[in-house]
Amino acid sequence: MIEVDSLAAIRSGNRILDAVTLTVAEGTVTTLVGPSGGGKSTLLRCLNGLETFAEGRVTIAGHKLVAGEHPPRALERVRRDVGMVFQGFNLFPHLSAIDNVTLAPRIVRGVPPAEARSRGLDLLERVGLSRFAEARPATLSGGQQQRVAIARSLAMEPRVMLFDEPTSALDPQMSAEVLDVIVELARGGQTMVVVTHDHDFARRAATQVVELVAGKVHRTGPAAEILAGAGH
Amino acid sequence: MTAARLGERRHWRGWLAAVAWLLAAVPGTGLAAELDEVLARGELVWAADQEGGGPHVYVDPENPTRLTGFEVELAAMLAAELGVKARFQQGQWDRLPLLLGRAADCVINGFESTPERARDWHCSRPYFAYALQLVARRDSALDSLDALAKEGPRGPWRVGVLTGSAAEIEMRRRSDLAVEVVGYDGTVDCLEQVRGRVLDAVLMDDCIVSFNADRFGELRGVGRPFAGGTYTILTAPDTPRLSKAIDDALGRLITDGRLKALYDRWDLAGRQQMLLLRDATEVPPARRGSLADLIRGALPLLLRSAGMTILLSVASFPLAIIIGLAVAVGRLHGPAWLRPLLAGYVEILRGTPLMLQLYALFFLLPKAGLALPAIVAAILGLAMNYSAYESEIYRAGLKAVPVGQFEAALALGMTKWQSLRHVLVPQAVRIVMPPVTSDFIALFKDTSVCSAITVIELTKRYSVLALSTGRIAELAIVTALLYLAMSWPLSLLSRWFERRLERRSERAPG
């Protein structure tokens, strides 16, 4: 489902990512762990073209991204099949929860409004927020906002979901709400890559753990092996 | 001092300023300079509008620092008779009398003797006789004065006049004619607009027509000059000795033949002038109407002009917003070659006066073959000028939307334009609502500049009415109340938007 081959990203002369190679099989969960500044988020953002890379290539959900070539049309096609959930939620504050969820299916995929709404309500139900369909993001808690953001991504029926530290901005109780949703998704066979500091989550859900240190893949393996001995 | 006391003091200061402004607006209550003061000063300050044009007062084309015209020479001769020097004071023609008693001792600028002027100012004995001449293009279907009675091929004849002149009074008085009267501030502008086919004809004093005959070869006089009268020198009503000294001086210039010689020098038929001046009858002053009559007569006109002010605002501002938003988006997200062009557009429109832009649209475009109706030029000019300001506001608004919003939109597969249309612009619009609303109020008041291109909105209507009725202060209050009645609801709307935004940001976490 995802092949990353010899990826390098350079920012202000520094190699943020260097010769990163990894494979993610369909229906599996990969977590990216490692110290801050190790390149986890940059790698994730290279996978859907939010950031460019200087060397190597990425194949994701059947699309190819090649270093130095990032035509907008190609990136739009990739992003339609690859959802992303951000650390800061990034919900659209001027739209209600349900409108956040239905906007992209309507304008990108051309789904008729009534159908988009009915599917959007199902998704909000799935993340436990159908009561808040008409609420504005500013009136929701952080955990609720992140769950709406997950529903918003799922509405595009992505083949791959990318999570960029989805619980870092949340307190433990709200983190748990969000993690339950993500674990549930993983059990349903959704292919995903999750950047996280939360080793418990990695142990619960990850098929493989990739540890990035100073922009390089330090270790790759099952959670039990990589995280053995590590604390929270 | 406490904040409350400070507020109170500001409040009083505001009232004092308003009262002082009103006093200054009432003719004759200023401290007009009497004869002895003029003599002590050694200068007779005379007011005129060099934009009014020749042969009265105009800039010498061969030496643009020098003023010339028969009235320039007349002023010098009168001053010499008083034993002082003449000093010129520039003013807008229809408002020159307002300078009396403050910036000028007298007005010498082709002011026709009318009953209204005789009522509000002191009018000297006549110094020049004129008649009105209709002028049209040589190829025009308008071939006689009688032709004005029936509509032309394009509807009512559009006839230009100098605002506040006898020609305007004559045209507006003639309800039997199928004409649309358009007021201008300069005679040459009028003639240019006839040449450019914006106007069908212009009505002006015969001496102006013959003076400009060579420069406007494609125009010709239609019919004989008619509705004649005389020019008078205006002085403040409370300077009787100065007024008498000027009258006496004029008398001497007439008797000893110096005035005739002046007119002969300027090719203005000196002998004919002297005969006409000899036979001229005195114009009796008009009666001052009651305040109720004044309001009854003026209010419908003021209300109609307030309607024009509203039309100009509500037609131009939405355009300004659309253009401004497009420019802002283009500068932030458009192709690289477009960005400097848009930056140039903004700088040019912000860096030049609105008045100049309106002039260019209305007076210069016809030379390039595109004659816009005045109201279209006014709406377009206001919209373009304000679009520059709106684009800067929207640019700031777009930049204030967090970058994560753009990324979230892109990550959902939206194109750049979809992201802008559905995510960034709606948020920017909410952010900039308060400054945009306050700009609307500013534009609303800026519509008064459009009078420079013949659009009669509220301020212009006030100015015309105030000068023709002499009720400057009363009409100023009515006009100010009308403006307030229109802009106050806008202020309330603006504050409502701000409160709404504040409440929303208070609700937002973090």
Side-chain angles (χ1 to χ4, degrees):
Chain A
M1 180 59 66
I2 305 175
E3 297 275 352
V4 177
D5 181 17
S6 313
L7 193 78
I10 299 170
R11 301 282 178 272
S12 320
N14 299 319
R15 289 182 91 84
I16 304 292
L17 294 175
D18 192 11
V20 172
T21 296
L22 62 91
T23 305
V24 174
E26 184 159 7
T28 64
V29 177
T30 297
T31 59
L32 299 178
V33 298
S36 295
K40 307 186 292 290
S41 285
T42 305
L43 173 58
L44 199 72
R45 291 159 65 86
C46 285
L47 297 184
N48 72 344
L50 277 186
E51 294 202 23
T52 57
F53 48 92
E55 295 166 15
R57 67 183 61 211
V58 171
T59 309
I60 183 164
H63 306 279
K64 277 196 176 60
L65 292 173
V66 181
E69 293 171 28
H70 295 93
R73 293 282 164 274
L75 291 181
E76 284 152 19
R77 279 195 295 274
V78 171
R79 290 165 186 157
R80 271 175 234 162
D81 288 335
V82 179
M84 184 174 231
V85 172
F86 299 84
Q87 181 180 355
F89 329 137
N90 296 352
L91 288 182
F92 306 135
H94 61 297
L95 300 178
S96 63
I98 183 69
D99 288 342
N100 262 278
V101 175
T102 58
L103 179 65
R106 280 193 293 113
I107 65 169
V108 178
R109 290 218 189 275
V111 178
E115 190 187 332
R117 185 176 168 87
S118 127
R119 271 161 54 185
L121 288 172
D122 288 347
L123 284 167
L124 286 178
E125 175 80 55
R126 203 163 141 195
V127 298
L129 290 173
S130 53
R131 283 193 303 130
F132 296 97
E134 302 305 330
R136 291 292 173 108
T139 63
L140 300 176
S141 76
Q144 289 168 330
Q145 289 191 57
Q146 193 61 301
R147 284 186 282 156
V148 174
I150 293 170
R152 178 175 71 174
S153 261
L154 290 173
M156 287 294 283
E157 298 177 343
R159 298 178 61 194
V160 177
M161 284 281 280
L162 307 176
F163 291 85
D164 191 0
E165 304 204 24
T167 58
S168 308
L170 300 174
D171 66 30
Q173 195 204 325
M174 289 195 280
S175 289
E177 293 170 9
V178 172
L179 285 175
D180 286 346
V181 171
I182 300 176
V183 169
E184 197 56 40
L185 276 177
R187 289 195 183 130
Q190 174 76 57
T191 310
M192 32 177 140
V193 180
V194 184
V195 170
T196 184
H197 289 293
D198 188 335
H199 290 176
D200 279 346
F201 168 75
R203 287 192 189 97
R204 269 170 81 191
T207 322
Q208 80 170 335
V209 174
V210 175
E211 187 182 21
L212 278 178
V213 177
K216 295 185 177 174
V217 176
H218 187 59
R219 290 184 295 167
T220 303
E225 186 181 305
I226 303 293
L227 301 175
H232 177 66
Chain B
M1 189 177 291
T2 66
R5 286 284 300 282
L6 196 68
E8 201 174 301
R9 222 178 86 161
R10 282 210 191 114
H11 183 71
W12 274 106
R13 223 186 274 164
W15 273 106
L16 278 177
V19 170
W21 179 80
L22 274 178
L23 281 177
V26 179
T29 52
L31 298 171
E34 246 301 18
L35 179 62
D36 25 337
E37 203 177 314
V38 172
L39 297 179
R41 197 199 299 143
E43 275 181 340
L44 176 71
V45 182
W46 66 286
D49 184 359
Q50 45 189 315
E51 199 190 341
H56 305 78
V57 179
Y58 61 103
V59 174
D60 186 349
E62 277 159 27
N63 178 6
T65 59
R66 189 175 153 264
L67 273 188
T68 182
F70 78 87
E71 286 177 337
V72 177
E73 293 187 27
L74 175 62
M77 286 158 73
L78 284 173
E81 283 296 300
L82 301 184
V84 294
K85 284 197 173 121
R87 180 157 68 82
F88 170 75
Q89 169 64 50
Q90 166 65 27
Q92 188 178 315
W93 189 78
D94 59 352
R95 290 174 210 183
L96 286 173
L98 297 182
L99 298 177
L100 289 173
R102 275 184 294 279
D105 301 315
C106 60
V107 173
I108 310 176
N109 203 194
F111 269 76
E112 304 93 342
S113 311
T114 64
E116 290 75 23
R117 286 181 186 138
R119 176 192 63 204
D120 298 330
W121 318 100
H122 182 276
C123 294
S124 75
R125 63 185 294 169
Y127 69 88
F128 186 87
Y130 71 90
L132 296 177
Q133 171 74 58
L134 192 69
V135 179
R137 276 187 318 280
R138 287 185 186 279
D139 60 3
S140 167
L142 188 61
D143 52 3
S144 70
L145 286 171
D146 296 334
L148 287 177
K150 278 201 219 91
E151 289 195 355
R154 294 187 298 169
W157 301 101
R158 290 172 55 81
V159 179
V161 292
L162 197 59
T163 304
S165 68
E168 181 178 27
I169 296 169
E170 175 66 17
M171 274 290 114
R172 296 204 189 275
R173 191 178 64 81
R174 296 283 297 271
S175 51
D176 56 319
L177 302 180
V179 294
E180 180 193 340
V181 185
V182 188
Y184 285 78
D185 288 336
T187 52
V188 176
D189 284 341
C190 271
L191 293 165
E192 287 279 8
Q193 297 281 84
V194 179
R195 175 149 71 186
R197 295 171 195 274
V198 178
L199 291 175
D200 292 307
V202 50
L203 185 68
M204 50 176 50
D205 298 1
D206 50 358
C207 60
I208 305 175
V209 176
S210 43
F211 180 80
N212 288 292
D214 296 340
R215 186 169 156 194
F216 293 90
E218 53 279 73
L219 307 186
R220 67 182 163 100
V222 176
R224 304 295 305 162
F226 65 104
T230 54
Y231 291 164
T232 180
I233 297 175
L234 301 181
T235 43
D238 57 351
T239 55
R241 279 179 289 127
L242 175 65
S243 307
K244 183 170 184 312
I246 287 177
D247 264 346
D248 292 349
L250 263 178
R252 288 197 295 278
L253 294 177
I254 290 171
T255 349
D256 64 14
R258 274 182 287 164
L259 196 64
K260 175 178 178 296
L262 169 70
Y263 291 153
D264 281 336
R265 237 186 357 265
W266 280 90
D267 221 356
L268 292 167
R271 179 164 168 71
Q272 177 98 25
Q273 280 292 332
M274 292 308 115
L275 293 175
L276 289 168
L277 290 183
R278 191 186 64 186
D279 298 337
T281 51
E282 198 172 307
V283 176
R287 195 177 60 84
R288 208 176 175 82
S290 74
L291 190 60
D293 285 344
L294 170 78
I295 303 276
R296 209 172 303 134
L299 201 58
L301 287 171
L302 286 172
L303 282 174
R304 203 181 314 152
S305 307
M308 175 60 84
T309 295
I310 291 175
L311 172 70
L312 290 174
S313 317
V314 301
S316 59
F317 200 63
L319 262 179
I321 284 184
I322 293 168
I323 303 173
L325 186 56
V327 170
V329 169
R331 284 185 74 181
L332 288 173
H333 299 283
W337 59 265
L338 184 64
R339 296 178 193 189
L341 292 180
L342 293 175
Y345 172 88
V346 170
E347 290 314 321
I348 288 171
L349 286 168
R350 282 201 310 176
T352 56
L354 172 59
M355 171 90 98
L356 196 69
Q357 294 159 17
L358 290 172
Y359 250 81
L361 281 175
F362 190 58
F363 290 112
L364 298 186
L365 276 188
K367 287 181 189 287
L370 180 62
L372 294 177
I375 181 133
V376 175
I379 290 170
L380 202 61
L382 284 169
M384 283 173 60
N385 182 269
Y386 269 78
S387 73
Y389 295 96
E390 298 322 294
S391 82
E392 286 298 274
I393 293 179
Y394 276 107
R395 206 158 67 98
L398 283 167
K399 282 178 152 180
V401 178
V403 66
Q405 292 289 312
F406 196 21
E407 290 186 343
L410 292 178
L412 285 164
M414 292 187 208
T415 64
K416 185 159 83 171
W417 298 110
Q418 285 173 331
S419 309
L420 279 163
R421 156 84 181 78
H422 295 282
V423 176
L424 300 190
V425 169
Q427 292 186 54
V429 166
R430 282 167 174 76
I431 293 170
V432 304
M433 199 62 93
V436 166
T437 318
S438 91
D439 257 12
F440 185 43
I441 301 173
L443 171 130
F444 174 75
K445 289 178 291 182
D446 264 357
T447 52
S448 65
V449 179
C450 298
S451 68
I453 58 165
T454 78
V455 175
I456 300 193
E457 42 56 67
L458 189 50
T459 300
K460 183 66 175 178
R461 177 68 69 192
Y462 158 70
S463 160
V464 170
L465 281 174
L467 288 161
S468 65
T469 61
R471 308 299 279 266
I472 296 170
E474 296 90 329
L475 289 174
I477 292 170
V478 176
T479 307
L481 286 176
L482 280 176
Y483 268 115
L484 206 59
M486 294 188 285
S487 65
W488 197 43
L490 289 176
S491 301
L492 290 181
L493 188 70
S494 157
R495 252 174 278 159
W496 179 76
F497 272 130
E498 269 175 61
R499 273 202 304 271
R500 222 176 88 133
L501 286 174
E502 273 164 21
R503 272 208 302 274
R504 183 168 295 170
S505 56
E506 274 165 20
R507 275 205 309 255

